[in-house]
Amino acid sequence: AMSLQNLGLVVGAAVAPPIVAFIIAFWGWKAAFIVTGLVAGILGTFFYIYTKDDPADDPRVSPEELAWIRHDQIPEDDSPLPKGYIRMLLGRPSLWAVGMANFGLDFINFLFLTWYPTYLIDQYHMSFKQMGIMAMEPYIFALFTVLGAGRLVRALTDGGMDSGSARRMVIFGGLLIGSAALVVAVNVSDLYASVTAMSLGYAFVMSILGPMWSIPAELSGRRGAGFASGFVNFVGNVGGVGSPILMGVIFQQFHSFTPAILISAGITMICGLLFLLQYRAKADKEVVTRFLAS
């Protein structure tokens, strides 16, 4: 379910490059901001009207479906969080592990969102229209890897593996393979081989979205899910802010994309190793449960 929900991020990134390139080519860059802003506003309005906080308020949900949704839900608890709860959560290595995984993901994600079109134009001298089509490739690949990673975790748990171990394997594997593909991309000279390797690098890093975002709520429990998710998002966005800045500084220094891409791959690989070393979901969930019980 988390992989399916996070697929929206990839779908949006996939359709944006050719549309934006087309708008800029015919109507200029200002029109691109106006059109994409309107699309975001329309989608936000649709979300506000279409979604319900409580499935019981949605006429499309049958009584049978509502009963299925609620049969294993934990009752709402609006009482204040116990004193020291947030500090206890911040002391859980698994929460930091997921934050570092998201740091690596956002480092690559923002690299592609900000610099990938420039890379295609400067490195391979593409026209703006060519770039718009070629820039879709990473996101098309990611459609399959994001859904595939979620399905793989489901298959592993159905086969008897505990969910923590399944997510640990898939998340580390995604960051490892993605980093390796980015290294390959800057070491091949053929346009299509390089772009394909870059695209696979992005797609495998992004594949961790579903398994990664399943962890904060499961680790912290329902009452701490908002804080845990916000913390993971904050750590990830630190990487997202740093990525385009580092890319620009390194490109200005070396006049080449190769060092910047290699450094980005290295940072993402380090994030993967830190995740592998720090992630201990079962033990940390037990600590949270004991804290709440006491």
Side-chain angles (χ1 to χ4, degrees):
M2 291 300 294
S3 293
L4 187 63
Q5 180 237 306
N6 278 283
L7 201 65
L9 187 155
V10 181
V11 172
V15 301
I19 293 173
V20 171
F22 178 84
I23 293 170
I24 293 175
F26 287 94
W27 295 290
W29 66 269
K30 292 182 180 180
F33 275 86
I34 294 170
V35 172
T36 52
L38 286 172
V39 169
I42 291 169
L43 289 173
T45 303
F46 174 78
F47 174 84
Y48 180 79
I49 295 171
Y50 187 79
T51 58
K52 308 295 181 186
D53 287 331
D54 187 339
D57 297 332
D58 194 323
R60 293 161 300 165
V61 178
S62 67
E64 293 78 16
E65 184 180 2
L66 184 62
W68 182 85
I69 290 171
R70 288 182 167 171
H71 83 277
D72 60 350
Q73 279 189 332
I74 301 171
E76 287 280 3
D77 184 355
D78 295 327
S79 62
L81 286 172
K83 186 178 181 180
Y85 185 69
I86 298 299
R87 185 170 62 254
M88 181 274 300
L89 279 182
L90 287 173
R92 308 279 55 80
S94 295
L95 187 62
W96 287 92
V98 181
M100 292 313 301
N102 197 31
F103 186 102
L105 181 147
D106 270 354
F107 206 92
I108 297 301
N109 185 32
F110 280 67
L111 170 70
F112 272 78
L113 291 174
T114 55
W115 280 98
Y116 187 60
T118 306
Y119 170 78
L120 294 177
I121 293 171
D122 288 4
Q123 188 79 6
Y124 297 108
H125 310 293
M126 291 184 180
S127 69
F128 212 64
K129 292 180 181 178
Q130 288 175 313
M131 180 277 298
I133 300 299
M134 192 70 76
M136 290 180 66
E137 189 173 306
Y139 310 108
I140 292 173
F141 285 0
L143 295 177
F144 296 96
T145 58
V146 170
L147 281 179
R151 186 67 189 88
L152 178 57
V153 171
R154 182 74 267 154
L156 291 171
T157 52
D158 286 345
M161 183 181 290
D162 68 274
S163 61
S165 298
R167 292 187 185 118
R168 187 171 186 260
M169 180 188 302
V170 172
I171 291 173
F172 177 70
L175 294 176
L176 174 65
I177 297 171
S179 301
L182 292 173
V183 173
V184 171
V186 297
N187 285 287
V188 294
S189 56
D190 179 75
L191 163 64
Y192 296 103
S194 177
V195 170
T196 299
M198 285 281 287
S199 300
L200 287 171
Y202 174 86
F204 274 101
V205 170
M206 296 298 287
S207 73
I208 75 171
L209 274 168
M212 182 186 71
W213 281 114
S214 302
I215 295 171
E218 183 177 305
L219 176 68
S220 64
R222 185 166 185 163
R223 297 173 68 189
F227 172 80
S229 299
F231 175 78
V232 169
N233 205 36
F234 168 77
V235 176
N237 278 312
V238 173
V241 170
S243 174
I245 296 173
L246 179 66
M247 188 76 171
V249 170
I250 295 174
F251 184 76
Q252 187 177 37
Q253 183 71 29
F254 295 98
H255 305 288
S256 169
F257 286 97
T258 299
I261 293 172
L262 288 175
I263 291 173
S264 299
I267 289 173
T268 301
M269 187 66 257
I270 290 170
C271 289
L273 291 171
L274 290 172
F275 170 81
L276 190 66
L277 293 170
Q278 293 294 311
Y279 185 58
R280 52 197 75 167
K282 185 176 180 180
D284 282 341
K285 280 195 290 184
E286 289 175 355
V287 172
V288 174
T289 301
R290 286 198 302 269
F291 183 91
L292 291 173
S294 63

